[in-house]
Amino acid sequence: MIGSIVIVIADLEQSLRGGDMGIATVNPTTLETIQSFAPLSADQIHAKLALADEAFQSYRQVDFAERSQWLLRAAELLEDPNHRQYYAALMTLEMGKPIQEALGEVKKCAWVCRYYAEQAPAFLANQSVATDAQSSWVCYQPLGIILAVMPWNFPFWQVFRFAAPALMAGNVGVLKHASNVPQCALAIEKIFLEAGFPTGVFQTLLISAQQVEKVVQDPRVKAATLTGSEPAGASLAAIAGRQIKKTVLELGGSDPFIVLESADLEAAVTTAVKARMLNTGQSCIAAKRFIVVDEIADQFIQKFIAAFADLSVGDPMQAHTEIGPLATTAILEELEQQVQTAITHGAQILTGGQRWNGLPGNFYLPTIVAEITADNPIYYQECFGPVALVFRVPDLATAVKLANDSPFGLGASAWTTDPQEHDYLITQLDAGAVFINGMVKSDPRLPFGGIKRSGYGRELGLQGIHEFVNIKTVWVK
Ligand code: NAP
């Protein structure tokens, strides 16, 4: 299966030239380099942007019905059982996601395509506003080429949640995907083409991070969105800012997961494990800081440790695997360093705290870290892997204070059956989303994004499709 993925994709794509400039498929389970890809030259980038610009001039005239048909066809391609298996295996090959989760991710991509195919006409319909004019209204028009810089952790989902609304709004997209998922990037381009979108409406640019600057500066590119780390987001926003181009940034997070005395403890523990371990802990909205009130802390921590120890670590291609390798060796080394530094600053390891050596890849054991004081570097850091930080607090107010004591503000989950505590948590937590008695998750129907250093702007929902449009005011007398 893996071999056929590599051969088929490689045969189909002309831009693969076998060079090694850091864009490569490296299997994180075996550390084997499967294939390297030469980055596009300046001339090739220029040609692709010219094609995108030309495509935009006609694509912007295409009506919603036709755009919807193409997006629904993309959903069908994703849902086809053979395709779905193929795309899922490609993700698992390139970044190590457990295969069951990869299959779920492909399904979710189909969902977001269907959602915007159905909802976009209403979201982008003209809105009448009564003024001193004979008639006045607001209409939504596309901007042109939008650059999407995307991360490897959800290699399909991150792209589809950008592309579905952007293309429905009449924009065209160019994708700079993470350097370790080039075959996913090429497969996604192919899906849009096979679905019927005209050539040039969605293109993958196999380029390095350093080449992004030139693309942003190109006058044909009208706006950019980046999902990834803070340094990458800050760099892109600075370049775009100098060009007066809009950006949306979806950056890191260190989401709190607050458990109060009245919580359903079994449900809280089960969800806590899932919320921390999804994608082997490499999710921006993973719960990362577990803040538990003293009354139930002993019980919670005991159950949490037992559940971590039960998780099945191993080959992510196997259906029963729950924890796969980290996507790259650099991520593994950084995580390992974070935990070691935490220990030297007085933290205690309750379980894990070391690599797993059952296979040669980038494996790290599910780990729980406790006794973390505010002067411990890990207190303010994001841990991008299977490492949970546990804090004990005396009461609700202290829990919220600790939760907000973070540079990030992406999501927050809190567990209590007390309605007054719900109100307090919803109003006091500094985050882009608050989930009560549930795990923070993205949903095409709800806006998604953060505050503070987690970024700005929103994806998904009504708000997401309005990010990259000209909100045009019309006044007629
Ligand atoms: P990353 O290094 O920032 O990479 C993300 C993307 O940005 C990649 O395509 C990368 O390309 C590119 N990039 C890196 N530096 C750049 C620069 N200076 N200019 C332009 N592009 C640049 O992120 P990561 O560490 O792989 O991803 C993990 C981070 O993403 C975590 O902090 C996580 O929380 C965050 N994340 C956030 C969300 C969200 O929705 N808020 C979702 C998922 C992940 P190369 O691969 O070529 O370097």
PDB file of all heavy atoms in Angstrom, residues 119-155:
ATOM      1  N   GLN A 119     -24.071  25.908   2.402  1.00  0.00           N
ATOM      2  CA  GLN A 119     -24.326  27.140   3.171  1.00  0.00           C
ATOM      3  C   GLN A 119     -23.804  28.421   2.520  1.00  0.00           C
ATOM      4  O   GLN A 119     -24.301  29.511   2.805  1.00  0.00           O
ATOM      5  CB  GLN A 119     -23.689  27.042   4.573  1.00  0.00           C
ATOM      6  CG  GLN A 119     -24.198  25.894   5.405  1.00  0.00           C
ATOM      7  CD  GLN A 119     -25.686  25.975   5.670  1.00  0.00           C
ATOM      8  OE1 GLN A 119     -26.247  27.059   5.805  1.00  0.00           O
ATOM      9  NE2 GLN A 119     -26.342  24.829   5.714  1.00  0.00           N
ATOM     10  N   ALA A 120     -22.780  28.311   1.678  1.00  0.00           N
ATOM     11  CA  ALA A 120     -22.133  29.531   1.179  1.00  0.00           C
ATOM     12  C   ALA A 120     -23.097  30.483   0.475  1.00  0.00           C
ATOM     13  O   ALA A 120     -23.007  31.705   0.688  1.00  0.00           O
ATOM     14  CB  ALA A 120     -20.961  29.162   0.258  1.00  0.00           C
ATOM     15  N   PRO A 121     -24.033  29.987  -0.365  1.00  0.00           N
ATOM     16  CA  PRO A 121     -24.925  30.955  -1.023  1.00  0.00           C
ATOM     17  C   PRO A 121     -25.676  31.836  -0.018  1.00  0.00           C
ATOM     18  O   PRO A 121     -25.838  33.037  -0.255  1.00  0.00           O
ATOM     19  CB  PRO A 121     -25.885  30.050  -1.817  1.00  0.00           C
ATOM     20  CG  PRO A 121     -25.078  28.807  -2.083  1.00  0.00           C
ATOM     21  CD  PRO A 121     -24.246  28.612  -0.845  1.00  0.00           C
ATOM     22  N   ALA A 122     -26.108  31.261   1.088  1.00  0.00           N
ATOM     23  CA  ALA A 122     -26.807  32.075   2.100  1.00  0.00           C
ATOM     24  C   ALA A 122     -25.827  32.987   2.834  1.00  0.00           C
ATOM     25  O   ALA A 122     -26.122  34.159   3.094  1.00  0.00           O
ATOM     26  CB  ALA A 122     -27.522  31.160   3.096  1.00  0.00           C
ATOM     27  N   PHE A 123     -24.643  32.464   3.162  1.00  0.00           N
ATOM     28  CA  PHE A 123     -23.649  33.273   3.888  1.00  0.00           C
ATOM     29  C   PHE A 123     -23.202  34.487   3.068  1.00  0.00           C
ATOM     30  O   PHE A 123     -22.797  35.508   3.622  1.00  0.00           O
ATOM     31  CB  PHE A 123     -22.416  32.441   4.217  1.00  0.00           C
ATOM     32  CG  PHE A 123     -22.616  31.407   5.293  1.00  0.00           C
ATOM     33  CD1 PHE A 123     -21.673  30.384   5.460  1.00  0.00           C
ATOM     34  CD2 PHE A 123     -23.697  31.458   6.153  1.00  0.00           C
ATOM     35  CE1 PHE A 123     -21.834  29.437   6.460  1.00  0.00           C
ATOM     36  CE2 PHE A 123     -23.863  30.509   7.159  1.00  0.00           C
ATOM     37  CZ  PHE A 123     -22.922  29.490   7.306  1.00  0.00           C
ATOM     38  N   LEU A 124     -23.224  34.344   1.748  1.00  0.00           N
ATOM     39  CA  LEU A 124     -22.683  35.404   0.889  1.00  0.00           C
ATOM     40  C   LEU A 124     -23.781  36.142   0.122  1.00  0.00           C
ATOM     41  O   LEU A 124     -23.495  36.907  -0.801  1.00  0.00           O
ATOM     42  CB  LEU A 124     -21.663  34.806  -0.086  1.00  0.00           C
ATOM     43  CG  LEU A 124     -20.453  34.145   0.592  1.00  0.00           C
ATOM     44  CD1 LEU A 124     -19.576  33.444  -0.429  1.00  0.00           C
ATOM     45  CD2 LEU A 124     -19.621  35.161   1.373  1.00  0.00           C
ATOM     46  N   ALA A 125     -25.029  35.935   0.527  1.00  0.00           N
ATOM     47  CA  ALA A 125     -26.138  36.634  -0.143  1.00  0.00           C
ATOM     48  C   ALA A 125     -26.107  38.119   0.211  1.00  0.00           C
ATOM     49  O   ALA A 125     -25.654  38.504   1.302  1.00  0.00           O
ATOM     50  CB  ALA A 125     -27.462  36.018   0.297  1.00  0.00           C
ATOM     51  N   ASN A 126     -26.596  38.957  -0.703  1.00  0.00           N
ATOM     52  CA  ASN A 126     -26.672  40.398  -0.432  1.00  0.00           C
ATOM     53  C   ASN A 126     -27.523  40.647   0.806  1.00  0.00           C
ATOM     54  O   ASN A 126     -28.517  39.960   1.025  1.00  0.00           O
ATOM     55  CB  ASN A 126     -27.323  41.129  -1.604  1.00  0.00           C
ATOM     56  CG  ASN A 126     -26.430  41.124  -2.830  1.00  0.00           C
ATOM     57  OD1 ASN A 126     -25.278  40.701  -2.764  1.00  0.00           O
ATOM     58  ND2 ASN A 126     -26.960  41.593  -3.941  1.00  0.00           N
ATOM     59  N   GLN A 127     -27.122  41.656   1.585  1.00  0.00           N
ATOM     60  CA  GLN A 127     -27.890  41.996   2.786  1.00  0.00           C
ATOM     61  C   GLN A 127     -28.371  43.437   2.678  1.00  0.00           C
ATOM     62  O   GLN A 127     -27.550  44.360   2.621  1.00  0.00           O
ATOM     63  CB  GLN A 127     -27.012  41.855   4.033  1.00  0.00           C
ATOM     64  CG  GLN A 127     -26.730  40.413   4.378  1.00  0.00           C
ATOM     65  CD  GLN A 127     -25.762  40.305   5.536  1.00  0.00           C
ATOM     66  OE1 GLN A 127     -24.934  41.184   5.755  1.00  0.00           O
ATOM     67  NE2 GLN A 127     -25.867  39.223   6.277  1.00  0.00           N
ATOM     68  N   SER A 128     -29.675  43.596   2.658  1.00  0.00           N
ATOM     69  CA  SER A 128     -30.264  44.935   2.594  1.00  0.00           C
ATOM     70  C   SER A 128     -30.109  45.659   3.919  1.00  0.00           C
ATOM     71  O   SER A 128     -30.267  45.039   4.972  1.00  0.00           O
ATOM     72  CB  SER A 128     -31.765  44.804   2.342  1.00  0.00           C
ATOM     73  OG  SER A 128     -32.009  44.966   1.019  1.00  0.00           O
ATOM     74  N   VAL A 129     -29.829  46.960   3.844  1.00  0.00           N
ATOM     75  CA  VAL A 129     -29.737  47.772   5.066  1.00  0.00           C
ATOM     76  C   VAL A 129     -30.517  49.059   4.814  1.00  0.00           C
ATOM     77  O   VAL A 129     -30.279  49.739   3.807  1.00  0.00           O
ATOM     78  CB  VAL A 129     -28.258  48.114   5.396  1.00  0.00           C
ATOM     79  CG1 VAL A 129     -28.177  48.915   6.693  1.00  0.00           C
ATOM     80  CG2 VAL A 129     -27.401  46.867   5.477  1.00  0.00           C
ATOM     81  N   ALA A 130     -31.454  49.394   5.676  1.00  0.00           N
ATOM     82  CA  ALA A 130     -32.246  50.620   5.496  1.00  0.00           C
ATOM     83  C   ALA A 130     -31.412  51.836   5.871  1.00  0.00           C
ATOM     84  O   ALA A 130     -30.878  51.912   6.984  1.00  0.00           O
ATOM     85  CB  ALA A 130     -33.500  50.551   6.361  1.00  0.00           C
ATOM     86  N   THR A 131     -31.263  52.781   4.906  1.00  0.00           N
ATOM     87  CA  THR A 131     -30.510  54.026   5.154  1.00  0.00           C
ATOM     88  C   THR A 131     -31.240  55.181   4.470  1.00  0.00           C
ATOM     89  O   THR A 131     -32.390  55.026   4.056  1.00  0.00           O
ATOM     90  CB  THR A 131     -29.083  53.935   4.568  1.00  0.00           C
ATOM     91  OG1 THR A 131     -29.195  53.859   3.143  1.00  0.00           O
ATOM     92  CG2 THR A 131     -28.316  52.745   5.100  1.00  0.00           C
ATOM     93  N   ASP A 132     -30.550  56.301   4.224  1.00  0.00           N
ATOM     94  CA  ASP A 132     -31.150  57.416   3.498  1.00  0.00           C
ATOM     95  C   ASP A 132     -31.140  57.185   1.986  1.00  0.00           C
ATOM     96  O   ASP A 132     -31.588  58.030   1.221  1.00  0.00           O
ATOM     97  CB  ASP A 132     -30.424  58.719   3.845  1.00  0.00           C
ATOM     98  CG  ASP A 132     -28.951  58.649   3.527  1.00  0.00           C
ATOM     99  OD1 ASP A 132     -28.409  57.513   3.451  1.00  0.00           O
ATOM    100  OD2 ASP A 132     -28.322  59.703   3.340  1.00  0.00           O
ATOM    101  N   ALA A 133     -30.603  56.043   1.524  1.00  0.00           N
ATOM    102  CA  ALA A 133     -30.582  55.749   0.089  1.00  0.00           C
ATOM    103  C   ALA A 133     -31.933  55.202  -0.348  1.00  0.00           C
ATOM    104  O   ALA A 133     -32.751  54.785   0.480  1.00  0.00           O
ATOM    105  CB  ALA A 133     -29.512  54.711  -0.211  1.00  0.00           C
ATOM    106  N   GLN A 134     -32.096  55.169  -1.683  1.00  0.00           N
ATOM    107  CA  GLN A 134     -33.283  54.490  -2.221  1.00  0.00           C
ATOM    108  C   GLN A 134     -33.187  53.007  -1.845  1.00  0.00           C
ATOM    109  O   GLN A 134     -34.117  52.395  -1.386  1.00  0.00           O
ATOM    110  CB  GLN A 134     -33.274  54.643  -3.733  1.00  0.00           C
ATOM    111  CG  GLN A 134     -34.614  54.710  -4.342  1.00  0.00           C
ATOM    112  CD  GLN A 134     -34.462  55.264  -5.754  1.00  0.00           C
ATOM    113  OE1 GLN A 134     -33.356  55.500  -6.245  1.00  0.00           O
ATOM    114  NE2 GLN A 134     -35.572  55.477  -6.399  1.00  0.00           N
ATOM    115  N   SER A 135     -32.009  52.496  -2.105  1.00  0.00           N
ATOM    116  CA  SER A 135     -31.726  51.158  -1.583  1.00  0.00           C
ATOM    117  C   SER A 135     -30.233  51.080  -1.271  1.00  0.00           C
ATOM    118  O   SER A 135     -29.403  51.689  -1.962  1.00  0.00           O
ATOM    119  CB  SER A 135     -32.130  50.074  -2.580  1.00  0.00           C
ATOM    120  OG  SER A 135     -31.391  50.213  -3.750  1.00  0.00           O
ATOM    121  N   SER A 136     -29.919  50.370  -0.234  1.00  0.00           N
ATOM    122  CA  SER A 136     -28.502  50.168   0.102  1.00  0.00           C
ATOM    123  C   SER A 136     -28.359  48.753   0.638  1.00  0.00           C
ATOM    124  O   SER A 136     -29.284  48.204   1.243  1.00  0.00           O
ATOM    125  CB  SER A 136     -28.018  51.211   1.121  1.00  0.00           C
ATOM    126  OG  SER A 136     -28.925  51.352   2.186  1.00  0.00           O
ATOM    127  N   TRP A 137     -27.217  48.175   0.351  1.00  0.00           N
ATOM    128  CA  TRP A 137     -26.997  46.792   0.763  1.00  0.00           C
ATOM    129  C   TRP A 137     -25.508  46.487   0.863  1.00  0.00           C
ATOM    130  O   TRP A 137     -24.657  47.290   0.455  1.00  0.00           O
ATOM    131  CB  TRP A 137     -27.713  45.827  -0.197  1.00  0.00           C
ATOM    132  CG  TRP A 137     -27.171  45.746  -1.596  1.00  0.00           C
ATOM    133  CD1 TRP A 137     -26.247  44.857  -2.054  1.00  0.00           C
ATOM    134  CD2 TRP A 137     -27.532  46.548  -2.726  1.00  0.00           C
ATOM    135  NE1 TRP A 137     -26.022  45.060  -3.394  1.00  0.00           N
ATOM    136  CE2 TRP A 137     -26.801  46.084  -3.830  1.00  0.00           C
ATOM    137  CE3 TRP A 137     -28.419  47.637  -2.906  1.00  0.00           C
ATOM    138  CZ2 TRP A 137     -26.903  46.661  -5.106  1.00  0.00           C
ATOM    139  CZ3 TRP A 137     -28.513  48.201  -4.181  1.00  0.00           C
ATOM    140  CH2 TRP A 137     -27.770  47.707  -5.258  1.00  0.00           C
ATOM    141  N   VAL A 138     -25.243  45.324   1.427  1.00  0.00           N
ATOM    142  CA  VAL A 138     -23.872  44.832   1.538  1.00  0.00           C
ATOM    143  C   VAL A 138     -23.761  43.606   0.642  1.00  0.00           C
ATOM    144  O   VAL A 138     -24.649  42.744   0.657  1.00  0.00           O
ATOM    145  CB  VAL A 138     -23.557  44.418   3.002  1.00  0.00           C
ATOM    146  CG1 VAL A 138     -22.164  43.814   3.114  1.00  0.00           C
ATOM    147  CG2 VAL A 138     -23.700  45.620   3.926  1.00  0.00           C
ATOM    148  N   CYS A 139     -22.686  43.552  -0.176  1.00  0.00           N
ATOM    149  CA  CYS A 139     -22.467  42.329  -0.946  1.00  0.00           C
ATOM    150  C   CYS A 139     -21.032  41.845  -0.723  1.00  0.00           C
ATOM    151  O   CYS A 139     -20.182  42.593  -0.247  1.00  0.00           O
ATOM    152  CB  CYS A 139     -22.778  42.530  -2.427  1.00  0.00           C
ATOM    153  SG  CYS A 139     -21.715  43.700  -3.254  1.00  0.00           S
ATOM    154  N   TYR A 140     -20.836  40.593  -1.007  1.00  0.00           N
ATOM    155  CA  TYR A 140     -19.548  39.945  -0.704  1.00  0.00           C
ATOM    156  C   TYR A 140     -18.887  39.495  -1.995  1.00  0.00           C
ATOM    157  O   TYR A 140     -19.467  38.677  -2.725  1.00  0.00           O
ATOM    158  CB  TYR A 140     -19.786  38.735   0.208  1.00  0.00           C
ATOM    159  CG  TYR A 140     -20.452  39.099   1.520  1.00  0.00           C
ATOM    160  CD1 TYR A 140     -21.829  39.007   1.665  1.00  0.00           C
ATOM    161  CD2 TYR A 140     -19.701  39.568   2.592  1.00  0.00           C
ATOM    162  CE1 TYR A 140     -22.452  39.353   2.860  1.00  0.00           C
ATOM    163  CE2 TYR A 140     -20.312  39.916   3.791  1.00  0.00           C
ATOM    164  CZ  TYR A 140     -21.681  39.810   3.915  1.00  0.00           C
ATOM    165  OH  TYR A 140     -22.289  40.153   5.095  1.00  0.00           O
ATOM    166  N   GLN A 141     -17.712  40.006  -2.262  1.00  0.00           N
ATOM    167  CA  GLN A 141     -17.033  39.643  -3.495  1.00  0.00           C
ATOM    168  C   GLN A 141     -15.654  39.059  -3.211  1.00  0.00           C
ATOM    169  O   GLN A 141     -15.015  39.419  -2.211  1.00  0.00           O
ATOM    170  CB  GLN A 141     -16.904  40.884  -4.376  1.00  0.00           C
ATOM    171  CG  GLN A 141     -18.287  41.391  -4.800  1.00  0.00           C
ATOM    172  CD  GLN A 141     -18.223  42.465  -5.841  1.00  0.00           C
ATOM    173  OE1 GLN A 141     -17.341  43.315  -5.810  1.00  0.00           O
ATOM    174  NE2 GLN A 141     -19.170  42.447  -6.754  1.00  0.00           N
ATOM    175  N   PRO A 142     -15.199  38.174  -4.096  1.00  0.00           N
ATOM    176  CA  PRO A 142     -13.904  37.531  -3.844  1.00  0.00           C
ATOM    177  C   PRO A 142     -12.749  38.528  -3.989  1.00  0.00           C
ATOM    178  O   PRO A 142     -12.871  39.556  -4.637  1.00  0.00           O
ATOM    179  CB  PRO A 142     -13.837  36.456  -4.930  1.00  0.00           C
ATOM    180  CG  PRO A 142     -14.761  36.922  -6.008  1.00  0.00           C
ATOM    181  CD  PRO A 142     -15.855  37.688  -5.321  1.00  0.00           C
ATOM    182  N   LEU A 143     -11.614  38.174  -3.373  1.00  0.00           N
ATOM    183  CA  LEU A 143     -10.449  39.054  -3.402  1.00  0.00           C
ATOM    184  C   LEU A 143      -9.470  38.680  -4.502  1.00  0.00           C
ATOM    185  O   LEU A 143      -8.812  39.535  -5.084  1.00  0.00           O
ATOM    186  CB  LEU A 143      -9.717  38.988  -2.054  1.00  0.00           C
ATOM    187  CG  LEU A 143     -10.468  39.516  -0.830  1.00  0.00           C
ATOM    188  CD1 LEU A 143      -9.625  39.320   0.427  1.00  0.00           C
ATOM    189  CD2 LEU A 143     -10.831  40.985  -1.006  1.00  0.00           C
ATOM    190  N   GLY A 144      -9.322  37.380  -4.772  1.00  0.00           N
ATOM    191  CA  GLY A 144      -8.331  36.957  -5.773  1.00  0.00           C
ATOM    192  C   GLY A 144      -7.539  35.771  -5.256  1.00  0.00           C
ATOM    193  O   GLY A 144      -8.105  34.857  -4.637  1.00  0.00           O
ATOM    194  N   ILE A 145      -6.220  35.823  -5.442  1.00  0.00           N
ATOM    195  CA  ILE A 145      -5.388  34.695  -5.005  1.00  0.00           C
ATOM    196  C   ILE A 145      -5.145  34.800  -3.496  1.00  0.00           C
ATOM    197  O   ILE A 145      -4.668  35.826  -3.007  1.00  0.00           O
ATOM    198  CB  ILE A 145      -4.009  34.697  -5.710  1.00  0.00           C
ATOM    199  CG1 ILE A 145      -4.164  34.681  -7.235  1.00  0.00           C
ATOM    200  CG2 ILE A 145      -3.167  33.511  -5.239  1.00  0.00           C
ATOM    201  CD1 ILE A 145      -2.831  34.799  -7.986  1.00  0.00           C
ATOM    202  N   ILE A 146      -5.461  33.735  -2.782  1.00  0.00           N
ATOM    203  CA  ILE A 146      -5.179  33.679  -1.343  1.00  0.00           C
ATOM    204  C   ILE A 146      -4.105  32.616  -1.123  1.00  0.00           C
ATOM    205  O   ILE A 146      -4.218  31.486  -1.608  1.00  0.00           O
ATOM    206  CB  ILE A 146      -6.440  33.268  -0.528  1.00  0.00           C
ATOM    207  CG1 ILE A 146      -7.686  34.069  -0.968  1.00  0.00           C
ATOM    208  CG2 ILE A 146      -6.171  33.439   0.976  1.00  0.00           C
ATOM    209  CD1 ILE A 146      -7.638  35.548  -0.733  1.00  0.00           C
ATOM    210  N   LEU A 147      -3.059  32.998  -0.403  1.00  0.00           N
ATOM    211  CA  LEU A 147      -1.988  32.047  -0.061  1.00  0.00           C
ATOM    212  C   LEU A 147      -2.332  31.366   1.264  1.00  0.00           C
ATOM    213  O   LEU A 147      -2.638  32.045   2.255  1.00  0.00           O
ATOM    214  CB  LEU A 147      -0.652  32.795   0.083  1.00  0.00           C
ATOM    215  CG  LEU A 147       0.487  31.992   0.727  1.00  0.00           C
ATOM    216  CD1 LEU A 147       0.943  30.850  -0.175  1.00  0.00           C
ATOM    217  CD2 LEU A 147       1.665  32.910   1.066  1.00  0.00           C
ATOM    218  N   ALA A 148      -2.244  30.042   1.280  1.00  0.00           N
ATOM    219  CA  ALA A 148      -2.445  29.294   2.530  1.00  0.00           C
ATOM    220  C   ALA A 148      -1.139  28.604   2.898  1.00  0.00           C
ATOM    221  O   ALA A 148      -0.622  27.786   2.127  1.00  0.00           O
ATOM    222  CB  ALA A 148      -3.549  28.258   2.349  1.00  0.00           C
ATOM    223  N   VAL A 149      -0.588  28.955   4.061  1.00  0.00           N
ATOM    224  CA  VAL A 149       0.615  28.284   4.574  1.00  0.00           C
ATOM    225  C   VAL A 149       0.135  27.346   5.674  1.00  0.00           C
ATOM    226  O   VAL A 149      -0.449  27.796   6.669  1.00  0.00           O
ATOM    227  CB  VAL A 149       1.629  29.305   5.133  1.00  0.00           C
ATOM    228  CG1 VAL A 149       2.886  28.592   5.635  1.00  0.00           C
ATOM    229  CG2 VAL A 149       1.994  30.330   4.065  1.00  0.00           C
ATOM    230  N   MET A 150       0.351  26.072   5.489  1.00  0.00           N
ATOM    231  CA  MET A 150      -0.318  25.098   6.363  1.00  0.00           C
ATOM    232  C   MET A 150       0.664  24.148   7.055  1.00  0.00           C
ATOM    233  O   MET A 150       1.745  23.884   6.543  1.00  0.00           O
ATOM    234  CB  MET A 150      -1.328  24.291   5.533  1.00  0.00           C
ATOM    235  CG  MET A 150      -2.517  25.118   5.108  1.00  0.00           C
ATOM    236  SD  MET A 150      -3.528  25.551   6.555  1.00  0.00           S
ATOM    237  CE  MET A 150      -4.222  27.117   6.061  1.00  0.00           C
ATOM    238  N   PRO A 151       0.248  23.606   8.205  1.00  0.00           N
ATOM    239  CA  PRO A 151       1.117  22.711   8.968  1.00  0.00           C
ATOM    240  C   PRO A 151       0.840  21.241   8.631  1.00  0.00           C
ATOM    241  O   PRO A 151      -0.164  20.911   8.008  1.00  0.00           O
ATOM    242  CB  PRO A 151       0.709  23.003  10.412  1.00  0.00           C
ATOM    243  CG  PRO A 151      -0.765  23.263  10.309  1.00  0.00           C
ATOM    244  CD  PRO A 151      -1.018  23.871   8.955  1.00  0.00           C
ATOM    245  N   TRP A 152       1.706  20.399   9.120  1.00  0.00           N
ATOM    246  CA  TRP A 152       1.656  18.967   8.819  1.00  0.00           C
ATOM    247  C   TRP A 152       0.711  18.204   9.751  1.00  0.00           C
ATOM    248  O   TRP A 152       0.411  17.056   9.497  1.00  0.00           O
ATOM    249  CB  TRP A 152       3.078  18.380   8.987  1.00  0.00           C
ATOM    250  CG  TRP A 152       3.690  18.868  10.270  1.00  0.00           C
ATOM    251  CD1 TRP A 152       4.517  19.949  10.414  1.00  0.00           C
ATOM    252  CD2 TRP A 152       3.449  18.366  11.580  1.00  0.00           C
ATOM    253  NE1 TRP A 152       4.797  20.150  11.747  1.00  0.00           N
ATOM    254  CE2 TRP A 152       4.157  19.186  12.488  1.00  0.00           C
ATOM    255  CE3 TRP A 152       2.714  17.297  12.097  1.00  0.00           C
ATOM    256  CZ2 TRP A 152       4.150  18.973  13.866  1.00  0.00           C
ATOM    257  CZ3 TRP A 152       2.697  17.083  13.468  1.00  0.00           C
ATOM    258  CH2 TRP A 152       3.412  17.925  14.330  1.00  0.00           C
ATOM    259  N   ASN A 153       0.268  18.799  10.857  1.00  0.00           N
ATOM    260  CA  ASN A 153      -0.367  17.950  11.883  1.00  0.00           C
ATOM    261  C   ASN A 153      -1.741  17.408  11.489  1.00  0.00           C
ATOM    262  O   ASN A 153      -2.101  16.304  11.856  1.00  0.00           O
ATOM    263  CB  ASN A 153      -0.390  18.636  13.252  1.00  0.00           C
ATOM    264  CG  ASN A 153      -1.171  19.907  13.286  1.00  0.00           C
ATOM    265  OD1 ASN A 153      -1.475  20.485  12.246  1.00  0.00           O
ATOM    266  ND2 ASN A 153      -1.507  20.375  14.473  1.00  0.00           N
ATOM    267  N   PHE A 154      -2.512  18.223  10.753  1.00  0.00           N
ATOM    268  CA  PHE A 154      -3.736  17.706  10.138  1.00  0.00           C
ATOM    269  C   PHE A 154      -3.605  18.031   8.647  1.00  0.00           C
ATOM    270  O   PHE A 154      -4.183  19.005   8.163  1.00  0.00           O
ATOM    271  CB  PHE A 154      -4.983  18.342  10.767  1.00  0.00           C
ATOM    272  CG  PHE A 154      -5.178  17.937  12.208  1.00  0.00           C
ATOM    273  CD1 PHE A 154      -4.640  18.696  13.242  1.00  0.00           C
ATOM    274  CD2 PHE A 154      -5.863  16.764  12.526  1.00  0.00           C
ATOM    275  CE1 PHE A 154      -4.786  18.305  14.566  1.00  0.00           C
ATOM    276  CE2 PHE A 154      -6.016  16.376  13.850  1.00  0.00           C
ATOM    277  CZ  PHE A 154      -5.477  17.147  14.872  1.00  0.00           C
ATOM    278  N   PRO A 155      -2.840  17.220   7.933  1.00  0.00           N
ATOM    279  CA  PRO A 155      -2.401  17.639   6.597  1.00  0.00           C
ATOM    280  C   PRO A 155      -3.534  17.802   5.596  1.00  0.00           C
ATOM    281  O   PRO A 155      -3.409  18.586   4.655  1.00  0.00           O
ATOM    282  CB  PRO A 155      -1.466  16.519   6.140  1.00  0.00           C
ATOM    283  CG  PRO A 155      -1.398  15.520   7.217  1.00  0.00           C
ATOM    284  CD  PRO A 155      -2.297  15.928   8.346  1.00  0.00           C
TER     285      PRO A 155
END
